[in-house]
Amino acid sequence: MVKGLYTAYTGMVNEQNRMDIMTNNLANASTVGYKKEGSTSQSFNDVLTVKIKDQSVGMRNVQRIGIKNPGVKIGENYTDYTQGSFRITDNTYDLALAGDGFFAIEFTNKAGETDTKYTRAGQFTLNKDGYLVTEEGDYVLDTQNRRIRLNTLLDSKITDDGTIYQNDQAVARIQVTDFEDYDYLEKYGETYYQPIEGAKTTTADAQVKSGYLEMANVQIVSEMVNLISITRAYESNQKVIQTIDGTLDVAANQIGKL
C-alpha cells in the first residue's frame, strides 16, 4: 500500500509540473513572439524487490518478491519553436520573421553587463535619440553588431532582407541570426533567448516582414483541453491517496480492536 501512495504522489508532482507549464502558456497567449513550452514524463527504472530477514524464509535467506516500478518522474521541459500567426499593424517598425531565425538584441542587465540576446518579438520603435529599440528599451543590432540609429524626421522602408531605407538610400541592415541546433538555446525571460556552450550560428533564411507582428504560437483551445485533462489526472491520483489512507486507517485503528 505504501508503494501505491508513492506512485500516486509522483503522479501528482508530474501533473503539477505540466499544469504550471500550461498555465504559463495561457498567460502568454497574447505575448508577441512567445513560444509555447511543453514537458515530457518518464517512468522510474524498474527495481527488484526482495524480502530479507524474514523468519518465513530464514533470517539469512533472501527471497525475490518481484519487479516493481516506483511511478513517474518529470522528464524534460522543451520549447516549441513553430511559427506563430501574423497580425497586421501597418507600423513600419513592427517586424515579423517569416522563416527560421532571430533578431539580435543588445541587452544590458541590472548589473550593467551587456551581451547579445535573441528574440522573435519584433515590436520595435525609435527612441528619442533615433535608435531602434525593443519595448524594453534594448537596442536592435545590425549585421555588424552595431546599434541602429535612424533619422526620426524621415520615413523608413524595410525590405524583406532587413535593409532599412531612408530617402531611397540604405542606411542599415537588421541582423537576423539562426542556430544549427535550438537545443543549445535557453529562454531568458518570456521572449528572449541566449545561446549556451556548444551553440553554433548559421545563416538565417527568414524574411523580415515590416508592418506585421508574430503572435504567440499558443492554441488556446488545445491548451484548455490539456489543462482539463491534467486536472482530472491530478484528481485521480488524489483519490488513490485518499483511498489508501482510508484503508490504512482501518488496518491501524479498527482491525486491532477485534
Side-chain angles (χ1 to χ4, degrees):
M1 278 191 257
V2 175
K3 182 184 78 171
L5 282 172
Y6 185 80
T7 301
Y9 158 74
T10 59
M12 291 176 69
V13 170
N14 183 69
E15 297 303 328
Q16 181 64 58
N17 177 66
R18 293 179 62 207
M19 185 178 295
D20 291 342
I21 292 173
M22 294 299 168
T23 52
N24 185 61
N25 287 340
L26 287 170
N28 287 281
S30 59
T31 301
V32 175
Y34 177 80
K35 299 300 179 185
K36 68 178 181 180
E37 294 183 312
S39 66
T40 60
S41 303
Q42 296 177 324
S43 63
F44 285 100
N45 294 331
D46 291 341
V47 294
L48 175 65
T49 306
V50 298
K51 184 189 293 186
I52 61 174
K53 294 184 179 180
D54 190 307
Q55 291 183 352
S56 64
V57 296
M59 294 296 289
R60 294 186 178 181
N61 295 327
V62 176
Q63 180 182 8
R64 292 189 177 186
I65 298 177
I67 300 295
K68 73 174 184 179
N69 188 292
V72 67
K73 62 180 177 179
I74 299 173
E76 295 182 353
N77 293 344
Y78 62 89
T79 301
D80 182 353
Y81 290 96
T82 56
Q83 186 167 294
S85 60
F86 285 2
R87 175 165 65 87
I88 300 174
T89 67
D90 292 327
N91 184 339
T92 301
Y93 300 115
D94 282 342
L95 305 177
L97 292 175
D100 296 331
F102 301 85
F103 296 111
I105 307 297
E106 181 186 292
F107 176 81
T108 303
N109 61 22
K110 294 181 180 179
E113 301 168 336
T114 299
D115 66 347
T116 302
K117 305 294 185 192
Y118 298 90
T119 186
R120 296 278 297 191
Q123 203 164 10
F124 304 142
T125 186
L126 295 182
N127 65 12
K128 60 183 179 63
D129 297 319
Y131 288 102
L132 189 64
V133 296
T134 66
E135 280 193 310
E136 293 77 20
D138 301 316
Y139 296 96
V140 181
L141 298 178
D142 67 6
T143 53
Q144 303 300 317
N145 285 321
R146 299 173 303 193
R147 299 175 180 177
I148 298 174
R149 191 173 190 180
L150 304 174
N151 188 333
T152 57
L153 300 178
L154 299 176
D155 291 333
S156 299
K157 178 183 177 182
I158 304 176
T159 58
D160 286 353
D161 65 354
T163 302
I164 304 175
Y165 289 87
Q166 288 190 316
N167 277 350
D168 294 327
Q169 297 212 354
V171 294
R173 184 179 179 187
I174 298 170
Q175 181 182 157
V176 181
T177 303
D178 200 10
F179 295 86
E180 290 185 359
D181 190 343
Y182 290 172
D183 287 340
Y184 292 95
L185 289 180
E186 64 178 11
K187 273 196 169 183
Y188 188 93
E190 297 299 345
T191 59
Y192 280 174
Y193 301 90
Q194 60 185 9
I196 61 176
E197 185 178 355
K200 295 181 181 179
T201 59
T202 184
T203 303
D205 62 359
Q207 293 182 335
V208 179
K209 298 298 183 181
S210 176
Y212 295 85
L213 288 176
E214 181 185 2
M215 304 309 295
N217 62 349
V218 177
Q219 301 294 328
I220 295 178
V221 174
S222 297
E223 296 299 309
M224 288 298 296
V225 170
N226 290 335
L227 200 59
I228 294 171
S229 175
I230 290 169
T231 302
R232 288 176 177 171
Y234 187 90
E235 291 173 346
S236 296
N237 284 305
Q238 212 171 24
K239 289 178 180 177
V240 169
I241 290 179
Q242 291 171 348
T243 301
I244 295 176
D245 180 65
T247 305
L248 290 174
D249 178 67
V250 172
N253 298 314
Q254 297 184 30
I255 295 178
K257 294 180 181 180
L258 299 178

